[in-house]
Amino acid sequence: MKDKIKSIISQMTLEEKVSLCSGKDFWHLKGIERLGIPKIMVTDGPHGLRKQSGEADHLGLNQSVRATCFPTAATTASGWDRENLFDMGKAIGEECVQEQVSVVLGPGTNIKRSPLCGRNFEYFSEDPFLAGEMSAAWINGVQSQGIGTSLKHFAANNQEKARLVSNSVVDERALREIYLTAFEIAVKQAQPWTLMCSYNRINNVYSCENQWLLNDVLRGEWGFQGLVMTDWGAMNERTKALEAGLELEMPSSGGYNDKKIVEAVREGKMKEAVLDRAVTRILTVILKAQEVKKKNYDKDQHHNLAQKIGAESIVLLKNDGMLPLNKDVSYAVIGAFAEKPRYQGAGSSKINPHRVEGALEALRNMGIKCEYAQGYELCSDEIRQEIIDEATECAAKADGAVIFAGLPDSYESEGFDRSHLDMPKNHNALIEAVAKVNPNVTVVLQCGSPVLMPWKDDVKGIVLSYLGGEAAGSASAKVLTGEVNPSGRLAETFPMSLEDTPCYNNFAKEAKDVEYRESILVGYRYYDWADIPVLYPFGYGLSYTDFSYEGMQVEWDDDSGTGSVKVTVSNKGKRAGSEVVQLYIGKECSSVMRAPKELKGFQKVFLNPQETKTVKLMLDKRSFSYYDIEEHGWTIEDGNYQLYVAASSRDMRLKADLKVKGKVIMRSPEYKVTDVVKNGRFSCSREQFKMLFEGEFPITPQMDKISLNSTVQEVLEKEAGRKSFQEMVDRFNKKFDGEDDLNIMMRAMLKDMPLRGLAMFGEAAMGDIEKKIKDMN
């Protein structure tokens, strides 16, 4: 292939080379007919294929072809099952083959820094090791079918607020250990065909033009072989991005940025070899895509796979003896989500499924005697007493009640972040009212991220199904009835309150600078370090059976930097089930700021009643390493480490100490709990945060003039801005005046959108916007 690509490039004009470096339209890469280079299609799809059948618009306002809607990443990560992720990716790859889509845009691998991030349903975990392992498995599954993937959003994109212009201010150690590690694992284990840059800046440099990130780290250290593309509309300075290692701009600037590249080469400001390097990488993807022949997939098989993965990812949070359900008694099934489930997130990942199964119908088909009551309205959080009264009357006559509740699309979506952790007030009111008339209540939660549970002590069962895909209803029914023994484990912490989260004071504020003051103390790392109680800990989940752990054995060789932990796991109960064996490593006496323990291995194991198996978890140098900011590399601190085999981050079953050879470390910059945790809340000042940085603190410089990166809100605050852009903004708003989730998302995004973003949505050509800016200034 290398010789063929070299031959093609030798025949190309400068303009033809440049033309390949941006999209033909929203979903296609350009081809060159005279050289036999075809256009290829890319499309959204972290949890299914979203190929638009009509005119493309990126956001899904136009209908997409029918495809299998698999459970979202928040759900599948709770399964802790690499094989399921591979199988899901393989199935999505098969659907891409049928629809002649060459690259599917996913997986979303960003860390859940805060449970408020509106797009958390599309991401795997707060833990980089788990997120990386899940991502790699999914990518390998898709690419086993000859279909490419696009690992996204690279990097430090952890909120929706102002995501096109925000500046993630993050110290080097946190960036490496928390925000880049998942991407590193995915690149090294799976080599995705493409990688998608995030919109935001990292320490004041846009991701898509970040030489250090794209060339030094991604390609130089990790050995990435594919091409790098922008997120849609993320391009800032085109020639700078090309030199930094970003090949493909999506969708297109209408020739505006292509012209800049041509001028830069002709004027000697950029070497043509830089362009040839980019074209080589783009052609590699295009030619690889042509090797796949169209074939049809089995829709029923994929639906059944979605059901299997959904059921095996459900987390049983509480069970005081009510579950599994009993076919000999009667139940009230309550809540509109039982009939019309919320099974996927809102935004650009929204799938048009073949069919959707609700839990009410599934329970009845499985022989559960039940009556139904609506309980609340789907499109409102208003408490309507007459609907709640109907539900309580239904519940009072039944032996038990199963309530389906959670978060509607309007509460969590791409484009905006949540402002609180509460469920709709009518959902909470319903649960509280039903619990007063029936002592046997189970709540099934359909949501993409953590919620508060003020009624937790008033119910006997809590089942977290997250967003379970098109078979969410039948998957839930299988777990509720015991046909499937729940084996999901939380891939994120459920906090007691929003104020308990470490980034509470530094998340999604109005300022463009987002200071990651909590540094490496994200998720369970922080809660354990500060000894903060949680609602449910990372890694937690119950089963209908009991498991025991025995015989922990640790092997380690300092010279090779390899080893393993073996443990014997037994099913002591009467039901077959799967346990997730988790390995955490900590260092009690360290000269480096550390969490008490970090996840370094896991394995899901299926056991029949009374069966015993040995689980082997592998160790390597990174199992014990931290990122040394003095050496700018990974370092093992010399000394004793504690290894824990656990059922969750707060349920340590076995412990072993291990002496590991390494570097003797002098005390490094760090936080002390007593200095940064006040009254149980993380409260770190900017001055304390600055200790973790070398050199100038990388915040946004003050700008008096309007630029392409000025937001719509900033521009409209000026009289000249209103005269120049108000009509354009009003026209944009008129396009999105509906009340469905996509229109709400777009209106929320508008005020934080940079002026260059208006060009992507067709409101004006980039040149016209630049002229208006020049006239204003």
Side-chain angles (χ1 to χ4, degrees):
M1 184 182 287
K2 288 182 180 179
D3 290 341
K4 182 177 182 180
I5 290 173
K6 190 174 182 180
S7 174
I8 292 172
I9 291 176
S10 69
Q11 302 173 59
M12 297 172 72
T13 67
L14 174 61
E15 287 78 9
E16 285 175 331
K17 292 177 184 178
V18 171
S19 72
L20 291 182
C21 295
S22 61
K24 176 180 175 61
D25 51 36
F26 265 96
W27 299 121
H28 290 90
L29 276 62
K30 292 171 187 160
I32 300 175
E33 189 173 350
R34 79 173 186 88
L35 295 175
I37 303 170
K39 69 177 184 179
I40 65 170
M41 187 173 194
V42 303
T43 195
D44 279 320
H47 58 271
L49 181 65
R50 194 179 74 88
K51 175 187 176 182
Q52 290 185 276
S53 52
E55 184 181 350
D57 62 78
H58 175 47
L59 292 163
L61 299 178
N62 295 328
Q63 189 67 280
S64 57
V65 301
R66 291 196 179 276
T68 308
C69 180
F70 288 93
T72 65
T75 315
T76 57
S78 299
W80 295 61
D81 192 319
R82 297 174 180 87
E83 291 183 7
N84 273 351
L85 265 293
F86 180 91
D87 290 344
M88 174 177 159
K90 180 173 178 288
I92 292 173
E94 290 174 353
E95 300 195 14
C96 289
V97 170
Q98 175 172 310
E99 295 294 340
Q100 296 293 275
V101 170
S102 299
V103 177
V104 61
L105 304 176
T109 308
N110 299 95
I111 293 298
K112 298 182 180 185
R113 177 176 177 243
S114 168
L116 292 181
C117 177
R119 209 168 180 178
N120 272 357
F121 62 83
E122 216 173 315
Y123 302 142
F124 289 110
S125 180
E126 68 187 31
D127 182 83
F129 181 80
L130 178 58
E133 292 288 318
M134 296 294 98
S135 294
W138 188 92
I139 292 167
N140 280 324
V142 173
Q143 295 188 171
S144 72
Q145 300 305 295
I147 300 297
T149 59
S150 192
L151 180 64
K152 64 181 186 181
H153 308 87
F154 191 63
N157 169 208
N158 309 103
Q159 67 181 48
E160 292 299 283
K161 170 69 176 174
R163 61 178 173 159
L164 277 75
V165 294
S166 63
N167 177 30
S168 298
V169 182
V170 54
D171 67 277
E172 185 180 12
R173 188 174 167 209
L175 187 59
R176 288 289 198 155
E177 291 187 16
I178 304 298
Y179 298 102
L180 294 186
T181 291
F183 290 99
E184 179 183 1
I185 292 170
V187 166
K188 289 180 174 178
Q189 291 187 13
Q191 277 294 341
W193 287 15
T194 78
L195 178 142
M196 184 191 295
C197 272
S198 57
Y199 289 113
N200 55 286
R201 291 170 287 152
I202 301 174
N203 293 331
N204 222 19
V205 180
Y206 277 101
S207 296
C208 62
E209 57 196 42
N210 194 317
Q211 176 85 22
W212 171 82
L213 185 70
L214 302 183
N215 270 337
D216 297 352
V217 176
L218 177 65
R219 297 191 189 279
E221 293 182 26
W222 301 352
F224 177 66
Q225 300 298 312
L227 73 82
V228 177
M229 66 169 70
T230 64
D231 202 340
W232 268 231
M235 183 57 70
N236 182 43
E237 294 187 28
R238 186 61 183 106
T239 55
K240 185 183 288 187
L242 198 62
E243 290 176 330
L246 186 137
E247 288 78 37
L248 178 64
E249 175 186 10
M250 290 300 290
S252 169
S253 62
Y256 175 85
N257 282 327
D258 291 357
K259 184 180 177 182
K260 286 189 173 184
I261 299 174
V262 171
E263 290 175 351
V265 173
R266 285 190 170 151
E267 294 172 5
K269 295 177 181 178
M270 186 175 73
K271 295 179 180 178
E272 192 164 355
V274 173
L275 178 60
D276 289 348
R277 179 187 68 185
V279 174
T280 297
R281 291 168 179 164
I282 293 168
L283 286 175
T284 300
V285 170
I286 291 174
L287 295 182
K288 282 166 71 174
Q290 298 314 299
E291 298 173 359
V292 180
K293 295 183 179 179
K294 184 175 181 178
K295 61 181 179 182
N296 294 334
Y297 67 91
D298 187 326
K299 297 179 179 64
D300 291 335
Q301 182 186 58
H302 286 194
H303 179 84
N304 292 337
L305 177 62
Q307 181 192 78
K308 174 182 182 291
I309 295 172
E312 293 176 4
S313 301
I314 287 174
V315 185
L316 179 60
L317 296 176
K318 181 177 182 179
N319 186 21
D320 286 350
M322 185 178 164
L323 297 175
L325 301 180
N326 188 338
K327 293 183 180 181
D328 295 329
V329 302
S330 65
Y331 295 94
V333 175
I334 299 170
F337 281 167
E339 195 172 30
K340 297 179 179 178
R342 181 157 184 258
Y343 58 93
Q344 64 176 326
S348 62
S349 67
K350 206 159 194 177
I351 309 302
N352 182 18
H354 291 296
R355 66 181 191 270
V356 177
E357 294 176 343
L360 176 62
E361 181 181 6
L363 287 169
R364 285 174 171 165
N365 289 340
M366 296 177 74
I368 299 298
K369 303 170 189 175
C370 57
E371 296 294 329
Y372 170 72
Q374 180 182 341
Y376 52 81
E377 292 184 322
L378 281 172
C379 299
S380 170
D381 60 2
E382 179 186 355
I383 297 174
R384 288 187 54 192
Q385 195 58 48
E386 67 272 22
I387 299 180
I388 291 180
D389 289 343
E390 290 174 1
T392 55
E393 288 175 15
C394 181
K397 296 182 291 184
D399 296 308
V402 182
I403 303 174
F404 288 78
L407 297 177
D409 281 346
S410 60
Y411 272 59
E412 53 179 355
S413 169
E414 178 184 354
F416 60 88
D417 298 301
R418 299 166 67 189
S419 59
H420 55 75
L421 296 180
D422 297 322
M423 295 198 312
K425 57 186 179 181
N426 52 0
H427 289 227
N428 283 331
L430 171 68
I431 296 169
E432 291 165 359
V434 171
K436 288 178 181 177
V437 301
N438 193 314
N440 300 313
V441 175
T442 287
V443 177
V444 181
L445 294 171
Q446 296 178 357
C447 51
S449 49
V451 294
L452 301 182
M453 306 177 198
W455 34 261
K456 174 176 175 282
D457 295 335
D458 300 326
V459 302
K460 286 192 173 179
I462 304 173
V463 175
L464 177 64
S465 68
Y466 274 112
L467 304 178
E470 64 179 48
S474 55
S476 294
K478 284 179 176 288
V479 169
L480 289 168
T481 58
E483 185 172 323
V484 171
N485 192 343
S487 60
R489 303 292 183 263
L490 291 179
E492 60 188 321
T493 306
F494 274 49
M496 298 285 286
S497 71
L498 177 59
E499 292 78 10
D500 285 346
T501 60
C503 62
Y504 171 68
N505 290 316
N506 297 283
F507 178 82
K509 306 297 183 184
E510 287 302 321
K512 288 183 180 178
D513 295 313
V514 185
E515 297 181 27
Y516 287 45
R517 293 188 187 179
E518 70 284 355
S519 185
I520 61 169
L521 301 170
V522 177
Y524 72 89
R525 288 168 166 80
Y526 166 71
Y527 299 114
D528 289 353
W529 179 79
D531 195 22
I532 303 293
V534 299
L535 192 64
Y536 291 107
F538 175 84
Y540 172 84
L542 302 176
S543 172
Y544 294 150
T545 189
D546 296 310
F547 300 97
S548 67
Y549 297 69
E550 295 175 334
M552 181 179 181
Q553 299 177 18
V554 178
E555 294 181 357
W556 176 254
D557 181 72
D558 283 308
D559 294 331
S560 66
T562 60
S564 66
V565 174
K566 292 181 182 178
V567 62
T568 299
V569 184
S570 300
N571 181 351
K572 298 296 187 181
K574 297 180 180 179
R575 290 177 177 267
S578 294
E579 174 69 321
V580 178
V581 181
Q582 302 164 41
L583 173 66
Y584 295 85
I585 297 179
K587 193 174 193 305
E588 291 173 355
C589 297
S590 177
S591 296
V592 178
M593 181 171 72
R594 297 178 186 264
K597 54 190 174 299
E598 298 175 312
L599 182 73
K600 297 298 181 180
F602 66 88
Q603 185 64 52
K604 195 166 194 176
V605 56
F606 176 83
L607 295 166
N608 286 309
Q610 307 305 311
E611 185 179 9
T612 296
K613 289 183 179 177
T614 298
V615 174
K616 184 177 183 179
L617 303 170
M618 303 307 297
L619 300 171
D620 58 24
K621 290 181 180 179
R622 283 289 287 273
S623 303
F624 302 97
S625 298
Y626 78 101
Y627 193 80
D628 188 336
I629 60 173
E630 292 183 358
E631 300 292 334
H632 302 289
W634 294 95
T635 296
I636 296 177
E637 181 185 9
D638 190 80
N640 288 314
Y641 289 79
Q642 292 72 47
L643 285 67
Y644 307 92
V645 173
S648 82
S649 62
R650 293 199 168 178
D651 184 4
M652 305 297 108
R653 299 295 179 89
L654 299 171
K655 177 184 175 183
D657 289 304
L658 178 66
K659 176 72 169 68
V660 180
K661 290 182 181 179
K663 177 182 176 183
V664 177
I665 306 296
M666 302 300 290
R667 182 64 61 180
S668 63
E670 64 177 26
Y671 297 151
K672 292 182 173 61
V673 176
T674 51
D675 291 338
V676 296
V677 180
K678 309 293 185 183
N679 299 317
R681 304 286 186 263
F682 186 79
S683 182
C684 174
S685 69
R686 175 175 284 184
E687 292 306 312
Q688 289 169 313
F689 184 41
K690 282 183 176 180
M691 293 192 312
L692 306 183
F693 285 80
E694 296 177 332
E696 187 176 348
F697 193 61
I699 58 175
T700 305
Q702 291 293 323
M703 295 286 288
D704 294 326
K705 291 187 176 182
I706 296 299
S707 71
L708 284 171
N709 285 321
S710 297
T711 66
V712 168
Q713 180 177 356
E714 290 171 333
V715 172
L716 295 184
E717 287 173 353
K718 299 177 181 292
E719 184 177 352
R722 289 192 294 274
K723 287 181 180 178
S724 296
F725 287 96
Q726 188 68 62
E727 182 180 344
M728 193 183 301
V729 171
D730 290 343
R731 191 165 61 242
F732 181 96
N733 261 328
K734 191 174 181 180
K735 283 184 180 180
F736 302 102
D737 61 358
E739 290 306 316
D740 62 19
D741 56 275
L742 285 164
N743 285 291
I744 293 170
M745 177 185 79
M746 288 308 302
R747 292 199 300 272
M749 286 174 56
L750 178 60
K751 71 175 184 176
D752 292 320
M753 184 180 293
L755 293 179
R756 57 182 163 82
L758 293 172
M760 186 185 81
F761 290 104
E763 297 307 322
M766 193 75 80
D768 293 337
I769 293 176
E770 275 196 325
K771 185 177 184 304
K772 285 179 178 288
I773 292 172
K774 185 177 180 181
D775 292 342
M776 284 179 60
N777 291 328

